[in-house]
Amino acid sequence: MMTDALKKIVLDFDAALLDGVRSGANEDALRTLRDHAFDRLRAVKESPAPPCLEAVFDVAGEIGLKLNMALKVIKS
């Protein structure tokens, strides 16, 4: 189950990624957005009441997939 904290990470990443693609961000800038989202994900995972590990991995996979799609868009 995705917690509110995980949902917020995904939504914030989605918004930042779309904004980056629209504004002409390069590959490094988009990867930096991913790294920031992963930092936030690690913080949630290491919190006193972390979500289940499966949910954390699902979010990490979703972030990675969306980054890959964005990278294909900027390279085309």
Side-chain angles (χ1 to χ4, degrees):
M1 174 193 270
M2 193 179 297
T3 66
D4 289 341
L6 294 178
K7 288 178 190 174
K8 176 102 171 92
I9 292 169
V10 171
L11 290 175
D12 289 351
F13 176 73
D14 288 350
L17 192 63
L18 287 172
D19 186 50
V21 169
R22 280 190 207 120
S23 66
N26 64 21
E27 187 173 333
D28 289 337
L30 297 182
R31 290 185 189 280
T32 298
L33 294 174
R34 181 221 33 216
D35 294 345
H36 179 69
F38 280 172
D39 289 344
R40 291 179 60 198
L41 189 57
R42 276 187 216 91
V44 169
K45 184 182 78 126
E46 295 168 1
S47 67
C52 73
L53 204 50
E54 182 179 351
V56 172
F57 284 133
D58 286 347
V59 169
E62 185 174 343
I63 289 169
L65 179 65
K66 289 177 179 180
L67 173 66
N68 288 337
M69 289 189 296
L71 292 174
K72 287 180 183 178
V73 166
I74 67 168
K75 290 178 183 179
S76 61

